[in-house]
Amino acid sequence: MLQDDGSSSVTSSSPLQIFPIMSSLSPNFGSSNQWLKELKTEERGLYLIHLLLACANHVASGSLENANIALDHISQLASPNGDTMQRIASYFTEALADRILRSWPGLYKALRSTKLSVVSEDILVRKMFFEFFPFLKVAFVVTNQAIIEAMEGEKMVHIVDLNAAEPLQWRALLQDLSARPEGPPHLRITGVHQQKEVLDQMARVLTEEAEKLDIPFQFNQVVSNFENLDVEKLCVKTGEALAISSVMQLHTLLGHDNEKKSPLTFKHSKDIVKGYSPGNDTASSSPLCSTGSAKMDSFLNALWGLSPKVMVVTEQDSNHNGTTLMERLLESLHFYAALFDCLESTLPRTSLERLKVEKMLLGEEIKNIIACEGIERKERHEKLEKWFQRFNTSGFRNVPLSYYAMLQARRLLQSYSCEGYKIKEENGCVVICWQDRALFSVSSWRCRK
């Protein structure tokens, strides 16, 4: 239910489950809007969900006129500075509007022609995500423990970080390795990132730490977009014990099986069949609907060929890769409402840092899930069971995370003042939750020879 302070607890009693009750309460979109302003917090939250789903239905069916009316109603209730539902509704509204605009390429390009993309801002907002949420910290602790256990007794260790953005993870690992009873190994880390300045900073921090701890260390940079990464550039050498870390990267490969955009067509509302149902959503569908993925299979097979002793994977644990717009909207409403709730419990509503994370990171992810199709849709998050299928098919077997890794994860979450964060074990993997909503999973794998 929506709480008194306007936040939304995404549990079994979530307003998203209550939505079917609302479907019969649809008011005449053309009537007076005064009653909207008189809604109580909980009523407003429920009605925003109702409007968002109705709007998405119109967008999916191509009814521009009705979609426009619904967007106008939502704009009177939503606010990027309001409670959880008001804030999240703002970004889903923007995403739906963006999807409509993409059907007019000339107009869309003209409106975006002067948009600035500041790399330093993007780096900063991702650091804020690391700071404000415990998810990556938990993932790093679990990943490091899995690597330490897999590398016991090894003298030459090579770690490949497929998303080398945060040096604190490997700095902690250096400290742990320096305390090994048999002494530290010779450590080589290969960092992959599309921005060289990020890798330069990581190299500087880790080299200084290794010198302080007197650990033989080398840092290799691979400046590359993850989706275009040439595995041969990782330069894995014979005799090295290899570990691979992938943090929220693999899902981006799932869009490569369909590189064509799915065109959207819009019609006047009078041309829409009144009995339209979300199941008929073809304009918004992406043909990619099965577990199989040629690009993913090829990449995992290439990694398998490197014979890693361990590969630790962190991914968003939600199905945002549905074939229809309505599927993705419902799933992502649950997921991002939980993330916005986390921020509601952590930062004041007036916080500029909170606004930046919501707009520049979470809002952009929402937009990508809702507005984009084909190769442009990168945020194709999937559930843990799908990753099990993919890794098993590619010759990997799951390595259950140790009791000590689970214990470290739980202790880290307990250090947070907020009680909403939870850890659960699923098939030997760590799943990080907000209340009862699974948000991120961490799983460990090794080659099955």
Side-chain angles (χ1 to χ4, degrees):
M1 293 290 290
L2 288 169
Q3 300 168 352
D4 292 338
D5 61 359
S7 61
S8 62
S9 290
V10 185
T11 63
S12 58
S13 60
S14 165
L16 270 66
Q17 270 80 30
I18 301 172
F19 166 69
I21 302 172
M22 298 289 296
S23 58
S24 62
L25 305 179
S26 178
N28 183 348
F29 277 163
S31 62
S32 171
N33 299 332
Q34 181 58 37
W35 67 276
L36 291 174
K37 300 173 184 176
E38 298 172 356
L39 291 173
K40 297 178 181 178
T41 300
E42 183 172 340
E43 293 172 336
R44 182 178 61 216
L46 288 168
Y47 194 61
L48 274 170
I49 294 168
H50 171 68
L51 284 173
L52 283 170
L53 295 177
C55 182
N57 203 339
H58 292 310
V59 171
S61 65
S63 176
L64 176 58
E65 185 176 325
N66 283 333
N68 181 59
I69 294 171
L71 289 171
D72 183 47
H73 276 69
I74 296 170
S75 68
Q76 297 178 55
L77 297 176
S79 168
N81 301 305
D83 61 41
T84 297
M85 271 313 305
Q86 286 181 302
R87 295 169 93 104
I88 198 170
S90 296
Y91 295 106
F92 274 89
T93 304
E94 184 179 1
L96 288 166
D98 193 77
R99 186 179 178 92
I100 294 171
L101 281 174
R102 286 169 183 266
S103 63
W104 286 281
L107 179 62
Y108 180 76
K109 290 174 184 175
L111 288 173
R112 292 173 55 87
S113 62
T114 58
K115 183 180 178 181
L116 289 175
S117 180
V118 183
V119 173
S120 59
E121 281 285 294
D122 181 63
I123 295 171
L124 180 61
V125 79
R126 292 184 185 278
K127 284 190 176 293
M128 289 178 186
F129 180 87
F130 175 79
E131 191 64 35
F132 299 147
F133 293 101
F135 308 118
L136 291 182
K137 296 184 182 75
V138 171
F140 291 166
V141 163
V142 172
T143 298
N144 285 4
Q145 185 59 33
I147 291 174
I148 288 169
E149 291 169 8
M151 297 301 166
E152 187 175 350
E154 295 288 352
K155 295 181 179 179
M156 300 283 290
V157 175
H158 183 187
I159 297 172
V160 172
D161 184 350
L162 296 176
N163 184 24
E166 184 49 68
L168 289 178
Q169 175 184 9
W170 306 125
R171 189 176 176 184
L173 182 69
L174 281 166
Q175 293 166 0
D176 289 338
L177 290 175
S178 70
R180 282 203 322 184
E182 69 269 36
H186 184 289
L187 180 63
R188 191 156 70 97
I189 295 180
T190 296
V192 180
H193 201 279
Q194 59 186 347
Q195 269 116 30
K196 189 176 186 303
E197 60 193 275
V198 173
L199 295 173
D200 287 340
Q201 182 196 17
M202 180 169 279
R204 184 169 56 255
V205 170
L206 297 182
T207 300
E208 289 175 0
E209 188 67 21
E211 288 175 354
K212 188 191 307 179
L213 298 170
D214 196 25
I215 295 178
F217 177 74
Q218 182 183 355
F219 186 84
N220 300 329
Q221 300 187 18
V222 177
V223 181
S224 170
N225 184 301
F226 174 71
E227 297 154 50
N228 299 318
L229 174 64
D230 181 356
V231 172
E232 291 186 5
K233 290 185 178 180
L234 301 178
C235 298
V236 176
K237 300 175 182 177
T238 303
E240 292 179 327
L242 177 65
I244 300 173
S245 170
S246 174
V247 179
M248 299 187 295
Q249 291 293 293
L250 290 181
H251 65 263
T252 62
L253 300 180
L254 296 173
H256 286 258
D257 291 318
N258 171 36
E259 301 199 4
K260 294 180 180 180
K261 298 176 184 177
S262 300
L264 286 171
T265 56
F266 286 93
K267 299 168 273 188
H268 192 275
S269 59
K270 68 182 180 181
D271 298 325
I272 300 300
V273 179
K274 291 184 179 180
Y276 176 82
S277 67
N280 296 329
D281 179 8
T282 55
S284 65
S285 299
S286 166
L288 180 64
C289 58
S290 64
T291 302
S293 165
K295 178 78 172 179
M296 179 70 71
D297 292 345
S298 175
F299 185 72
L300 291 181
N301 287 338
L303 295 184
W304 182 89
L306 300 177
S307 299
K309 286 200 73 175
V310 67
M311 178 171 176
V312 189
V313 177
T314 302
E315 281 290 336
Q316 292 91 334
D317 193 49
S318 192
N319 180 21
H320 299 152
N321 197 23
T323 57
T324 69
L325 173 61
M326 295 301 289
E327 281 182 87
R328 300 203 301 269
L329 185 104
L330 280 167
E331 282 288 331
S332 53
L333 262 176
H334 276 295
F335 184 84
Y336 287 98
L339 287 179
F340 275 63
D341 253 2
C342 296
L343 286 174
E344 179 80 6
S345 70
T346 307
L347 296 169
R349 293 177 183 175
T350 55
S351 166
L352 181 59
E353 290 84 0
R354 175 180 174 179
L355 183 63
K356 284 186 175 182
V357 171
E358 289 174 343
K359 179 172 178 59
M360 298 172 63
L361 185 60
L362 305 182
E364 287 301 307
E365 288 182 7
I366 291 169
K367 190 183 297 182
N368 190 264
I369 293 167
I370 300 300
C372 299
E373 294 296 346
I375 192 66
E376 293 181 342
R377 183 152 59 86
K378 312 291 186 187
E379 304 300 336
R380 294 174 175 266
H381 314 141
E382 294 197 329
K383 298 289 289 182
L384 184 59
E385 55 263 29
K386 279 285 188 75
W387 293 110
F388 261 80
Q389 294 174 35
R390 288 200 175 90
F391 276 91
N392 285 328
T393 302
S394 299
F396 289 86
R397 67 175 176 84
N398 180 246
V399 180
L401 294 164
S402 68
Y403 170 79
Y404 188 59
M406 299 278 188
L407 183 63
Q408 284 184 300
R410 286 193 169 92
R411 283 177 176 171
L412 195 153
L413 279 191
Q414 286 170 1
S415 69
Y416 274 71
S417 57
C418 181
E419 296 180 357
Y421 294 110
K422 298 177 182 178
I423 287 281
K424 70 176 180 178
E425 184 270 338
E426 186 176 322
N427 294 323
C429 307
V430 163
V431 178
I432 315 165
C433 308
W434 173 255
Q435 306 296 356
D436 295 323
R437 181 74 186 182
L439 294 177
F440 294 86
S441 67
V442 187
S443 56
S444 180
W445 307 87
R446 72 177 302 168
C447 293
R448 188 175 64 243
K449 294 294 186 181

